[in-house]
């Protein structure tokens, strides 16, 4: 697994599929299960098995993988509905 280095200059070049791949890798690490081929519309709590105690660990893992510091004050539960919604939040944070 390779980490995605995101610099302010490169943020515009980061594609959604790269962020989804980072989310998949982070979830694999946090949940300790193989999630290869995870669909972007997979529901994080209902289908993937994320729970409230794993959210913090997932966010820390994503910060490391994407080399970004997330503003947790702007996080809402809707951001954790699906892989796609989390990717949207991350892309917005990386472009801020």
């Amino acid at each position: 697994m390779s980490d995605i280095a995101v610099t302010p200059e490169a943020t515009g070049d980061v594609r959604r599929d790269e962020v989804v791949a980072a989310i998949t890798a982070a979830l694999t690490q946090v949940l300790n299960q193989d999630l290869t081929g995870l669909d972007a519309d997979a529901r994080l709590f209902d289908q993937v098995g994320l729970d409230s105690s794993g959210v913090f660990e997932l966010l820390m893992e994503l910060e490391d993988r994407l080399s970004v510091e997330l503003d947790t004050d702007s996080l809402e539960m809707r951001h954790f509905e699906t892989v796609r919604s989390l990717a949207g939040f991350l892309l917005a944070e990386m472009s801020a």
Side-chain angles (χ1 to χ4, degrees):
M1 267 182 267
S2 64
D3 293 347
I4 300 170
V6 178
T7 62
E9 303 81 37
T11 301
D13 298 330
V14 175
R15 296 181 314 209
R16 181 173 294 271
D17 59 339
E18 293 172 326
V19 173
V20 169
I23 293 169
T24 301
L27 283 166
T28 297
Q29 180 72 32
V30 169
L31 299 175
N32 197 29
Q33 58 180 307
D34 182 15
L35 298 171
T36 305
L38 184 65
D39 185 87
D41 291 318
R43 300 186 62 78
L44 293 175
F45 286 92
D46 300 337
Q47 294 174 312
V48 179
L50 185 66
D51 60 20
S52 58
S53 63
V55 168
F56 181 71
E57 193 175 347
L58 175 63
L59 291 174
M60 289 180 26
E61 187 71 27
L62 287 168
E63 284 182 332
D64 288 345
R65 287 180 184 279
L66 297 171
S67 300
V68 65
E69 188 170 325
L70 301 173
D71 178 10
T72 56
D73 290 339
S74 63
L75 267 174
E76 298 177 13
M77 280 307 296
R78 66 182 173 88
H79 295 127
F80 291 97
E81 286 180 18
T82 63
V83 173
R84 184 182 314 279
S85 63
L86 183 55
F89 170 77
L90 292 170
L91 287 166
E93 284 292 302
M94 292 186 303
S95 65

